[in-house]
Amino acid sequence: QGSKLEVKLTGRVPIDIARREAMKTEKLRFQIIGYVLSAILALIFFRGLVMTLIATLPPAIGVFWTIGMLGFTHERLNSLSMVIMPIILTMIGFTNAAHIVFQFRRELSEGSSAKESMAASMRKLGLPCMLSALTTAAGFASLTVAEANMISDFGRDCAVGTLITFMAVVLLLPLLGLLPFKHKIETEKKSLQLGSAPGKEFFLRFIGLVIKRSKWVVTVSVILTILFGWLTSTLKPDMYLLNQLPDKSESGEALIEADKSLGGIQAIRIVAEWESDDSDPVPIIASIEEMIKEEKLLSQPLSIRGVLSSLPGLGKDLSSRMPLLKRAPPDLIKPLYRPELKKAVVITRIQDLGVAQYTPVYERLENKLKKLKAKHPDYEFGLAGGAVGWGRYVHRMLNDLARSLAAAAIIILIMITIAYRSLRIGLIAMIPNLFPLLACAAVLAAFELPLSLEIVCAFTICLGIAADDAIHFLSRYQAERKNGLNIDQALECSFLRVGQVLIATTVVMLCGLGSVLFSSLPMYRAFTAVACATLSTALIADLIILPALLKLFHNKKV
């Protein structure tokens, strides 16, 4: 105070504190915003307070049960579980609840009592809802194989939460439907549905066009899926430290300034260790410094040679000044040179340019150190530091997530195949499930955007949710076929009855998740943007591609 100096604090600890403070502030805010938006939209779709409460209360209670159980078991929620998990579980639970409530309302409109209507709804949709919950939980559970604790813990928490939320829905929703609200429910029977005259005509024409042009739809979707898959293969994983910080934070501004003026704040250390007491490490350190100077992305090296060059002495031979180090302050020498341990350290710094840019630099340094080791067998060299460890950690996490995504897709294929006792149905369901993921990944690749940790998490989550929609459509389609309808009639009926629920739940989920787009944390905004885009594309795939595939490839026999 009183000087012209401006001070800003940054570094690993300040960055972690800033991120945690932002999460604490935004956790409750975005949950409230998401729930309020979802409730408003549910009121619009259900056209009544009673039906809205029946559809939204069980999922909310399921989330409370999940958080309570995790707290009871002393589970510590990480950054993903703290903010994203409650919203995701609410949306997943609401999806299943909405299917049951829509069916409940249809049963009521046909003149059945509340008890008969709820029994029929649970009988018809209980199994599809259970299957969708299991496939979603399997998608989350696939994350538990990751070596990174943050990812595995998030996957485990969400998998357990999905099953608990499902239990809350199937236990509480029937009870709510049987409460003495009959007179109010009766007044809501004539609410707006897609089966009403204007909507029915439009949607019948739409699904009729899809059925008529099913060959073209399938051909185009397969070609696009292959193209998107090829583009996805060009994606490069990357991670930035700044993305973990809230916008306009002190730590973030200091980080940017340090990158521009000081070569960065993240340190890389090259450790040299020798065996002989007579070894002179100065020439070896000089060689290491030359390696660092050859890399344009690294800052000027700091080593004991810099200390020696500042000490008095005749000539340019820095080795002759080594005895003078005994008079130097120990705090200055120990971080760089430990003669009693026969170790020396060369320090350089990197900027926050992304993990991908520095991975080849680390590989080149390690190869050069191997050559230096071959010339000087008495020495051992190692590359260390938070930046190196973080880079390798991120790459390992992304590889884990990629494997988890593949495992989730295989598990979902197996579960759908077993549930419907048809490999054909399982394979038919895979294209609509994979199409939205590959489409969004292809957009990232086209705009040369990196594949970050939160984006792969979003893909894994959305795969399970997309599978939910496909399962409900397939269940309705098979039920209509068993009722004696031909393929076209079954597709039309499934589109009208399931389509309205898919549209309603997707819109509610988009608004619930979309509130996080206003987060100050870039990592949350990226997660939400990809999740919303994937869910939107999944709706298109389930209402266009899936019916066309069923028209062409499903068994013609009833």
Side-chain angles (χ1 to χ4, degrees), residues 48 70 352 410 533:
L70 292 174
D352 188 31
I410 295 172

Side-chain angles (χ1 to χ4, degrees), residues 316-392:
K316 297 182 179 181
D317 184 10
L318 297 181
S319 298
S320 63
R321 305 183 188 184
M322 292 290 284
L324 297 176
L325 292 178
K326 297 178 181 179
R327 303 177 184 178
D331 292 342
L332 177 64
I333 304 302
K334 282 185 177 181
L336 302 173
Y337 179 59
R338 299 291 297 272
E340 71 279 9
L341 300 178
K342 300 175 186 176
K343 288 184 180 181
V345 178
V346 182
I347 301 174
T348 182
R349 295 184 308 281
I350 65 170
Q351 302 176 51
D352 188 31
L353 301 178
V355 172
Q357 286 210 44
Y358 283 101
T359 300
V361 175
Y362 304 150
E363 292 175 356
R364 287 195 294 269
L365 284 176
E366 288 180 332
N367 290 332
K368 291 176 182 178
L369 289 173
K370 287 179 182 178
K371 294 179 181 178
L372 188 62
K373 161 71 178 173
K375 293 180 181 178
H376 303 277
D378 293 340
Y379 281 80
E380 295 289 340
F381 304 100
L383 190 63
V388 178
W390 172 245
R392 290 171 175 167

Side-chain angles (χ1 to χ4, degrees), residues 149-267:
N149 290 334
M150 183 172 72
I151 302 302
S152 60
D153 291 349
F154 174 68
R156 183 186 64 246
D157 295 344
C158 287
V160 172
T162 299
L163 297 177
I164 292 176
T165 305
F166 166 73
M167 293 300 297
V169 169
V170 297
L171 289 175
L172 300 178
L173 193 148
L175 296 178
L176 291 174
L178 296 179
L179 289 177
F181 296 133
K182 184 175 180 180
H183 64 287
K184 294 184 179 180
I185 294 175
E186 292 289 342
T187 63
E188 295 172 5
K189 291 192 297 186
K190 296 182 180 179
S191 60
L192 180 64
Q193 299 183 28
L194 295 181
S196 60
K200 185 174 182 180
E201 277 186 36
F202 171 77
F203 284 99
L204 280 176
R205 284 200 303 268
F206 182 83
I207 188 62
L209 183 63
V210 171
I211 293 172
K212 185 178 179 181
R213 305 292 184 186
S214 57
K215 290 183 180 180
W216 284 102
V217 172
V218 171
T219 302
V220 171
S221 62
V222 170
I223 292 173
L224 286 176
T225 302
I226 295 172
L227 176 62
F228 293 155
W230 174 76
L231 286 173
T232 301
S233 65
T234 64
L235 273 175
K236 295 180 180 179
D238 209 351
M239 201 77 173
Y240 295 85
L241 197 58
L242 193 63
N243 283 351
Q244 302 176 46
L245 283 165
D247 298 332
K248 299 180 181 179
S249 66
E250 176 186 327
S251 297
E253 293 175 353
L255 175 62
I256 294 172
E257 187 62 35
D259 280 351
K260 290 180 180 178
S261 307
L262 304 174
I265 64 167
Q266 302 176 78

Side-chain angles (χ1 to χ4, degrees), residues 33-59 90-91 93-95 97-99 101-102 105 188 191-192 500-501 503-512:
I33 293 173
Y35 297 153
V36 169
L37 284 174
S38 300
I40 292 172
L41 282 168
L43 277 170
I44 294 172
F45 282 115
F46 291 115
R47 294 296 180 95
L49 182 60
V50 173
M51 287 295 187
T52 301
L53 286 175
I54 293 174
T56 56
L57 195 57
T90 303
M91 298 301 109
F94 174 76
T95 300
H99 280 282
V101 169
F102 270 97
R105 193 167 61 179
E188 295 172 5
S191 60
L192 180 64
Q500 62 173 325
V501 189
I503 293 171
T505 54
T506 301
V507 171
V508 171
M509 282 193 289
L510 291 178
C511 290

Side-chain angles (χ1 to χ4, degrees), residues 30 159 168 452:
F30 288 117
S452 61

